[in-house]
Every structure is written in structure tokens, then in C-alpha cells.
């Protein structure tokens, strides 16, 4: 693992805008974008993301989907605790979720459409959401 530490240490970067270059600055975190090892390191870094969850998650690259049934208040509280757990993980590992991009889609007839939060921010409820190029609707019917 010495080679990995060496590969990630003493990196520097600068910004170029309209031909004007900034001074070189040390890069103190992250993985070089576009590197072959980047995706593997990201997967290792996020491997324990779901270790304290009751519900299920799907992960693809840097997208995370939490899902579960919410037939009653206990189920709703379980999903909310999972969201709180994800937020706690993100704070611990300094990898924050962009809660403004997080949404809730309620599926099924008679769904009570509970409200969920990430931290102090209430998550928006949407009737449809594009995921990997496919639109998922709350009634699971294809769009025309």
C-alpha cells in the first residue's frame, strides 16, 4: 500500500481561466479524476455506506438510491433513520450528499406519502424521476 500512498501524496493543481493561470496549490484530498484507480478507490471508500441501514440501497458510481416499504408510521420512521444514518456516514467521511438533488417518489395506490428529511432539509416529492436515462413514474406506467 506504500505505492498507493505515494500516488496520492504531494499532488498539486492550478486553474486556468481565459489563459490566466493561478499559482500551484497542494491537493489535500480526493483521487485524480479520470484515473484508472479512481472508480476502485471510490468503491472501497463507500463500501460500508449501507452497513447500518435497515432498508435497501442501490449504488451506481456516485448515485445512491434508498428504498423501502412505508405502510405505517413505524416503516416511515425506519426510512427516516436510514436517511439519518446515511447523513451521519457522509459527515464522518466528509463526503456530503447534495440534499437539494435528493427526492422522494411514492409508489403505489393509497400511499400515505410521508415526509422525509436529510438533516434540516425536507426532501421534495416528485411524481417522476430520471434514473440512468429511464424515467420512473410514481404509478410505474411508461411515459408517452
Amino acid at each position: 500500500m506504500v505505492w498507493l500512498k505515494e500516488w496520492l501524496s504531494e499532488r498539486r493543481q492550478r486553474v486556468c481561466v481565459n489563459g490566466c493561470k493561478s499559482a500551484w496549490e497542494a491537493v489535500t484530498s480526493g483521487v485524480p479524476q479520470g484515473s484508472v484507480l479512481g472508480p476502485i478507490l471510490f468503491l472501497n471508500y463507500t463500501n460500508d455506506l449501507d452497513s447500518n441501514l435497515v432498508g435497501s440501497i442501490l449504488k451506481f458510481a456516485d448515485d445512491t438510491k434508498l428504498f423501502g416499504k412505508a405502510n405505517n408510521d413505524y416503516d416511515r420512521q425506519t426510512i427516516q433513520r436510514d436517511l439519518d444514518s446515511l447523513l451521519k456516514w457522509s459527515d464522518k467521511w466528509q463526503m456530503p450528499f447534495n440534499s437539494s438533488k435528493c427526492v422522494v417518489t411514492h409508489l403505489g395506490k393509497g400511499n400515505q406519502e410521508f415526509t422525509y428529511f436529510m438533516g434540516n432539509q425536507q426532501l421534495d416529492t416528485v411524481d417522476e424521476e430520471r434514473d440512468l436515462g429511464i424515467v420512473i413514474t410514481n404509478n410505474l406506467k411508461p411515459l408517452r
Side-chain angles (χ1 to χ4, degrees):
M1 289 310 230
V2 173
W3 65 268
L4 183 59
K5 184 177 180 181
E6 289 294 322
W7 180 64
L8 292 174
S9 65
E10 298 182 30
R11 291 180 297 129
R12 298 171 2 125
Q13 69 181 18
R14 67 180 174 180
V15 177
C16 180
V17 177
N18 295 330
C20 294
K21 297 176 184 174
S22 70
W24 286 96
E25 294 291 332
V27 177
T28 58
S29 65
V31 175
Q33 196 168 5
S35 66
V36 174
L37 289 179
I40 294 167
L41 292 174
F42 182 79
L43 289 173
N44 281 336
Y45 193 74
T46 61
N47 191 46
D48 67 338
L49 178 65
D50 57 350
S51 62
N52 294 319
L53 303 182
V54 175
S56 300
I57 65 169
L58 297 173
K59 298 184 282 186
F60 181 79
D62 63 347
D63 287 339
T64 303
K65 309 279 185 279
L66 171 69
F67 60 96
K69 66 175 182 155
N71 294 329
N72 53 50
D73 197 50
Y74 177 80
D75 293 342
R76 184 206 59 80
Q77 290 172 5
T78 300
I79 292 172
Q80 184 59 61
R81 277 193 301 274
D82 282 349
L83 286 168
D84 296 341
S85 180
L86 288 172
L87 198 58
K88 188 175 180 180
W89 181 94
S90 75
D91 288 342
K92 176 182 176 182
W93 294 109
Q94 300 174 13
M95 194 169 182
F97 285 96
N98 185 346
S99 55
S100 67
K101 289 185 174 181
C102 297
V103 296
V104 177
T105 304
H106 299 283
L107 304 177
K109 272 190 170 179
N111 191 308
Q112 296 184 45
E113 299 193 6
F114 294 114
T115 301
Y116 298 97
F117 293 84
M118 285 200 81
N120 295 327
Q121 183 170 342
Q122 181 177 331
L123 299 181
D124 290 335
T125 299
V126 297
D127 292 335
E128 60 186 52
E129 179 69 10
R130 181 173 299 277
D131 187 30
L132 300 175
I134 298 171
V135 177
I136 307 295
T137 62
N138 62 348
N139 60 11
L140 299 178
K141 292 183 180 178
L143 292 177
R144 295 180 187 222

